[in-house]
Amino acid sequence: MPQVSLDEIERVVLTALVAHGADTFPAAEVARAVRKAESHGNRICGLYYLESYCAQLLTGRVKGDAVPLASAPRPAVVHVDAGFGFAQPAFAYGLAPALDAARQFGTATLAVAHAHTCTSLGYFTEQIARAGFVAIGLTNASPIVAPPGGKTRVIGTNPIAFSVPDGKGGLAMQFDQSTTMVALGKITMAKAAGTSIPEGWAVDKDGKPTTDPEAALAGSLVSMGGYKGWGFGLMAEVLAAGMTGSVLSQDVKPLKAPEGPHHDLGQYYIIMDPVVSDGFVERLERIAEAVSADEGARMPGQGRVGADPVDVPDAVWAQALGLAEG
């Protein structure tokens, strides 16, 4: 398994995307996101997705030349139409005006509409937090989750991310998690590897618990905490689809299929300026002290440091290099 520098990963991803029809700016934004995912060992959102990106650029399922259109329908509301292109460049177009709005009004929202899957949602909320703001992000995905007690898929894994600044340009806290027991990518990777999955992750098409990833993909993932996780998943659905004007999970086709309609997904961010509350940093520090009082306990995301270089499986790196050759 070769060790590859993050610079080389970013360069190869950018080259591969441009070779398959993406313009340089969106390709660069996606390459930065892949770099970040690989640095933290998040392979599901890293090079694992590159083949899908390239295949869908060729078929037009994602528009590599889309130019995002940012607007402000209300003073503290920023909306970016991704134009069926990648989510990363659309977010980049909306970030600065959304932060400016949050500085002026204390709270602002950023809606990214009609976008390709954003993969790692925390990648975006982290950028907001490193700029000094508290951020909540939500998105939806292809349908793979049925209501507790039901069999019909209604929503996706519908992740929620939350990032908090430490007041020094870093992160005091961050989590990025699906509202299911596990991300869909863990199931697909288990299927590809020919391994079973733990019981409790999914049910089969008849609603019975299964450890077979293939049966899980034909059935439904399980919401974390049952009805409680289901409620969070629905909240993400309402905001990611309803507040962006994008597609409902139930109408999204499999995200990695080479052909098909545009993903047309939405991402919704709530941005809060902590300076509007006296003593925010002090209270945050007290929370962190209480959390870390016991040995081994910590705030989510605390002490998270990216690796460089990183280990990349031989087959994955060979595939990436091949895609970069066009």
Side-chain angles (χ1 to χ4, degrees):
M1 185 180 297
Q3 279 206 324
V4 186
S5 73
L6 297 181
D7 284 346
E8 181 67 1
I9 288 173
E10 186 174 354
R11 183 193 69 79
V12 167
V13 171
L14 189 154
T15 302
L17 295 174
V18 170
H20 287 79
D23 284 352
T24 302
F25 175 72
E29 289 298 317
V30 174
R32 285 178 55 222
V34 170
R35 173 193 178 116
K36 187 74 170 183
E38 288 292 336
S39 74
H40 291 295
N42 183 7
R43 288 178 175 163
I44 295 172
C45 297
L47 289 167
Y48 173 73
Y49 241 100
L50 181 58
E51 181 184 26
S52 173
Y53 289 149
C54 291
Q56 294 182 15
L57 281 166
L58 291 178
T59 63
R61 193 171 183 204
V62 58
K63 296 180 65 175
D65 60 351
V67 178
L69 178 63
S71 61
R74 299 284 179 86
V77 175
V78 177
H79 183 278
V80 182
D81 186 339
F84 305 120
F86 289 108
Q88 291 85 354
F91 178 85
Y93 266 65
L95 180 59
L99 295 181
D100 286 342
R103 288 188 189 96
Q104 183 175 357
F105 298 101
T107 301
T109 60
L110 169 58
V112 175
H114 313 308
H116 204 63
T117 177
C118 69
T119 55
S120 176
L121 188 62
Y123 171 74
F124 304 95
T125 58
E126 178 177 342
Q127 293 179 59
I128 296 169
R130 289 192 181 278
F133 298 83
V134 179
I136 300 173
L138 310 98
T139 190
N140 56 349
S142 51
I144 193 64
V145 185
K151 299 178 183 179
T152 303
R153 298 170 172 181
V154 178
I155 63 173
T157 54
N158 289 17
I160 298 174
F162 181 62
S163 300
V164 181
D166 63 3
K168 305 171 186 176
L171 297 176
M173 169 183 171
Q174 174 165 300
F175 67 78
D176 176 7
Q177 61 193 49
S178 63
T179 52
T180 49
M181 287 294 293
V182 67
L184 178 60
K186 292 284 184 70
I187 308 288
T188 58
M189 290 180 77
K191 179 185 175 182
T195 59
S196 62
I197 60 174
E199 187 169 336
W201 280 13
V203 294
D204 63 18
K205 62 182 178 61
D206 297 317
K208 297 178 181 179
T210 183
T211 59
D212 180 354
E214 191 164 353
L217 293 171
S220 171
L221 299 192
V222 174
S223 296
M224 62 177 184
Y227 282 98
K228 295 179 181 179
W230 170 248
F232 278 114
L234 284 178
M235 178 182 73
E237 183 76 17
V238 169
L239 294 177
M243 293 299 289
T244 68
S246 302
V247 74
L248 295 173
S249 287
Q250 60 188 299
D251 297 323
V252 180
K253 302 306 178 186
L255 296 181
K256 296 194 74 178
E259 298 182 354
H262 301 297
H263 287 183
D264 194 16
L265 291 167
Q267 297 93 44
Y268 193 69
Y269 303 93
I270 302 169
I271 303 169
M272 295 155 277
D273 190 348
V275 303
V276 302
S277 175
D278 291 337
F280 176 86
V281 173
E282 290 77 9
R283 285 171 174 78
L284 180 62
E285 290 175 348
R286 288 188 60 192
I287 294 170
E289 289 173 4
V291 169
S292 61
D294 295 329
E295 186 176 356
R298 61 179 177 80
M299 294 280 276
Q302 189 176 35
R304 186 168 172 256
V305 178
D308 187 10
V310 297
D311 293 329
V312 180
D314 294 272
V316 173
W317 188 236
Q319 181 187 69
L321 292 174
L323 291 168
E325 292 175 358

